């Protein structure tokens, strides 16, 4: 299993950051490897959607649904498809009006052989991906 996590402080209040992140259609704006979000459905318990993610230039289609949906606190998405695992977003209001956002990913690569060959590459790739996504989220609110 590949596990990576990154945190960043966003210069915006929790409610604004949550509102932006709670709309899955905003993910392609901040996540460099998410190229498409579609079939979004929502009810009181969370969301489900389909997505296309490009890893090392290879498109991977999958779906995800929330297993934990605590507005303005925490969201956990379960991934289904070639990548299986979880995506976790946590949100913390800071005393100065800013928001700490933590983005975690834990998933299995499609095959054990592939995992043994590319594990370290995938870890570095995803560390960069999480860091860039959080930087893009910060930039999203820096211009406001």
């Amino acid at each position: 299993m590949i596990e990576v996590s990154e945190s960043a402080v966003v210069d915006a209040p929790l409610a604004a950051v949550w509102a932006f992140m709670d709309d899955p259609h905003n993910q392609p704006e901040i996540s460099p490897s998410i190229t498409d979000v579609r079939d979004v459905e929502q009810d009181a318990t969370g969301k489900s959607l389909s997505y296309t993610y490009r890893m090392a230039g290879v498109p991977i289609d999958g779906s995800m649904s929330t297993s934990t949906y605590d507005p303005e606190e925490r969201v956990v998405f379960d991934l289904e498809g070639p990548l299986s695992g979880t995506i976790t977003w946590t949100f913390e209001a800071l005393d100065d009006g800013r928001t700490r956002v933590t983005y975690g990913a834990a998933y299995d690569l499609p095959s054990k052989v592939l995992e043994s060959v590319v594990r370290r590459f995938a870890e570095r790739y995803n560390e960069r991906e999480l860091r860039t996504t959080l930087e893009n989220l910060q930039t999203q609110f820096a211009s406001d």
Side-chain angles (χ1 to χ4, degrees), residues 1-2 8 13 20 25 27 30 34 39 49 66 80 98 113 116 132:
M1 177 161 286
I2 304 290
F20 181 83
H25 294 101
Q27 284 300 308
I30 63 169
I34 295 179
D39 306 325
L49 57 100
T66 51
E80 295 180 15
R98 298 182 304 161
V113 173
S116 67
T132 300

Side-chain angles (χ1 to χ4, degrees), residues 8-11 17 20-21 26-34 89 101 103 128-144:
V9 174
V10 178
D11 193 19
V17 175
F20 181 83
M21 293 301 294
N26 289 331
Q27 284 300 308
E29 289 184 42
I30 63 169
S31 300
S33 294
I34 295 179
W89 288 96
V101 178
Y103 179 13
R128 227 177 13 258
E129 181 75 15
L130 269 62
R131 191 170 38 256
T132 300
T133 297
L134 289 168
E135 288 168 357
N136 289 343
L137 178 60
Q138 289 173 311
T139 300
Q140 184 73 30
F141 286 93
S143 62
D144 288 323

Side-chain angles (χ1 to χ4, degrees), residues 13-60:
L14 174 61
V17 175
W18 171 261
F20 181 83
M21 293 301 294
D22 194 39
D23 181 353
H25 294 101
N26 289 331
Q27 284 300 308
E29 289 184 42
I30 63 169
S31 300
S33 294
I34 295 179
T35 59
D36 186 37
V37 171
R38 61 197 173 278
D39 306 325
V40 177
E41 295 182 17
Q42 180 170 359
D43 61 25
T45 63
K47 299 181 186 323
S48 63
L49 57 100
S50 297
Y51 66 90
T52 301
Y53 178 83
R54 292 186 75 80
M55 179 181 272
V58 177
I60 299 171

Side-chain angles (χ1 to χ4, degrees), residues 18-127:
W18 171 261
F20 181 83
M21 293 301 294
D22 194 39
D23 181 353
H25 294 101
N26 289 331
Q27 284 300 308
E29 289 184 42
I30 63 169
S31 300
S33 294
I34 295 179
T35 59
D36 186 37
V37 171
R38 61 197 173 278
D39 306 325
V40 177
E41 295 182 17
Q42 180 170 359
D43 61 25
T45 63
K47 299 181 186 323
S48 63
L49 57 100
S50 297
Y51 66 90
T52 301
Y53 178 83
R54 292 186 75 80
M55 179 181 272
V58 177
I60 299 171
D61 289 318
S63 62
M64 59 174 62
S65 59
T66 51
S67 57
T68 302
Y69 187 74
D70 297 324
E72 295 191 3
E73 291 180 26
R74 184 170 187 246
V75 178
V76 178
F77 284 97
D78 294 329
L79 299 170
E80 295 180 15
L83 294 176
S84 61
T86 58
I87 299 292
T88 303
W89 288 96
T90 58
F91 305 85
E92 177 189 357
L94 302 177
D95 292 337
D96 61 4
R98 298 182 304 161
T99 305
R100 180 182 320 282
V101 178
T102 302
Y103 179 13
Y107 63 90
D108 292 316
L109 291 170
S111 94
K112 293 295 182 192
V113 173
L114 178 60
E115 182 173 345
S116 67
V117 172
V118 300
R119 179 181 185 84
R120 190 62 202 138
F121 165 79
E123 286 172 345
R124 283 192 306 264
Y125 179 87
N126 280 282
E127 288 166 357

